[in-house]
Coordinates of all heavy atoms in Angstrom, one line a residue:
L372 N -6.4 34.7 3.5 CA -7.7 34.6 4.2 C -8.5 33.4 3.5 O -8.1 32.9 2.5 CB -8.4 35.9 4.0 CG -7.7 37.2 4.6 CD1 -8.6 38.4 4.3 CD2 -7.5 37.0 6.1
P373 N -9.6 33.0 4.2 CA -10.4 31.9 3.6 C -10.8 32.1 2.2 O -11.2 33.2 1.8 CB -11.6 31.9 4.6 CG -11.0 32.4 5.9 CD -10.1 33.5 5.5
G374 N -10.6 31.1 1.4 CA -10.9 31.2 -0.1 C -9.8 31.7 -0.9 O -9.8 31.5 -2.2
Q375 N -8.7 32.2 -0.3 CA -7.6 32.7 -1.1 C -6.6 31.5 -1.5 O -6.5 30.5 -0.7 CB -6.8 33.8 -0.4 CG -7.6 35.1 -0.3 CD -6.8 36.2 0.2 OE1 -6.2 36.1 1.2 NE2 -6.9 37.4 -0.5
V376 N -5.9 31.7 -2.6 CA -5.0 30.6 -3.1 C -3.6 31.0 -2.7 O -3.2 32.2 -2.8 CB -5.2 30.5 -4.6 CG1 -4.1 29.6 -5.2 CG2 -6.6 30.0 -5.0
I377 N -2.8 30.0 -2.4 CA -1.4 30.2 -2.1 C -0.6 29.4 -3.2 O -0.9 28.3 -3.5 CB -1.0 29.6 -0.7 CG1 -1.7 30.5 0.4 CG2 0.5 29.5 -0.5 CD1 -1.4 29.9 1.8
V378 N 0.4 30.1 -3.7 CA 1.3 29.6 -4.8 C 2.7 29.8 -4.4 O 3.2 30.9 -4.3 CB 1.0 30.3 -6.1 CG1 1.9 29.7 -7.2 CG2 -0.4 30.1 -6.6
L379 N 3.4 28.7 -4.0 CA 4.8 28.8 -3.6 C 5.6 28.0 -4.7 O 5.3 26.8 -5.0 CB 5.0 28.2 -2.2 CG 4.2 28.8 -1.1 CD1 4.5 28.1 0.2 CD2 4.4 30.3 -1.0
H380 N 6.7 28.6 -5.2 CA 7.5 27.9 -6.2 C 8.5 27.0 -5.6 O 8.9 27.2 -4.4 CB 8.1 29.0 -7.1 CG 7.2 29.7 -8.0 ND1 7.0 29.3 -9.3 CD2 6.3 30.7 -7.8 CE1 6.1 30.1 -9.9 NE2 5.6 30.9 -9.0
P381 N 9.0 26.0 -6.4 CA 10.0 25.1 -5.9 C 11.3 25.9 -5.4 O 11.7 26.9 -6.0 CB 10.3 24.2 -7.1 CG 9.1 24.3 -7.9 CD 8.6 25.7 -7.7
D382 N 11.8 25.3 -4.3 CA 13.1 25.8 -3.7 C 13.0 27.2 -3.2 O 14.1 27.9 -3.0 CB 14.3 25.7 -4.8 CG 14.9 24.3 -4.7 OD1 14.7 23.6 -3.7 OD2 15.5 23.9 -5.7
E383 N 11.9 27.8 -3.0 CA 11.7 29.1 -2.3 C 11.5 28.8 -0.8 O 10.5 28.2 -0.4 CB 10.5 29.8 -2.9 CG 10.8 30.3 -4.3 CD 11.7 31.5 -4.4 OE1 12.1 32.0 -3.4 OE2 11.9 32.0 -5.6
E384 N 12.4 29.4 0.0 CA 12.3 29.2 1.4 C 11.0 29.9 2.0 O 10.7 31.0 1.6 CB 13.5 29.7 2.1 CG 13.5 29.3 3.6 CD 14.9 29.7 4.3 OE1 15.0 30.9 4.6 OE2 15.7 28.8 4.5
H385 N 10.4 29.3 3.0 CA 9.2 29.9 3.6 C 9.0 29.3 5.0 O 9.5 28.2 5.3 CB 8.0 29.7 2.7 CG 7.7 28.3 2.4 ND1 8.4 27.6 1.4 CD2 6.8 27.4 2.9 CE1 8.0 26.4 1.3 NE2 7.0 26.2 2.3
D386 N 8.3 30.0 5.8 CA 7.8 29.4 7.1 C 6.3 29.5 7.1 O 5.7 29.5 6.1 CB 8.5 30.2 8.3 CG 8.1 31.7 8.3 OD1 7.2 32.1 7.5 OD2 8.6 32.4 9.1
G387 N 5.7 29.5 8.3 CA 4.2 29.7 8.3 C 3.5 29.3 9.6 O 4.1 28.6 10.4
G388 N 2.3 29.7 9.7 CA 1.5 29.3 10.8 C 0.2 30.1 10.8 O -0.2 30.7 9.8
A389 N -0.5 30.1 11.9 CA -1.8 30.8 12.1 C -1.5 32.2 12.4 O -0.7 32.6 13.2 CB -2.6 30.1 13.1
G390 N -2.3 33.1 11.7 CA -2.1 34.6 11.9 C -2.9 35.2 13.1 O -2.6 36.3 13.5
T391 N -3.8 34.4 13.6 CA -4.6 34.8 14.8 C -4.7 33.7 15.8 O -4.4 32.6 15.5 CB -6.0 35.3 14.4 OG1 -6.7 34.1 14.0 CG2 -5.9 36.2 13.2

Side-chain angles (χ1 to χ4, degrees):
L372 302 177
Q375 291 187 310
V376 172
I377 292 177
V378 180
L379 305 180
H380 287 262
D382 275 341
E383 291 283 357
E384 186 175 80
H385 55 282
D386 60 8
T391 70

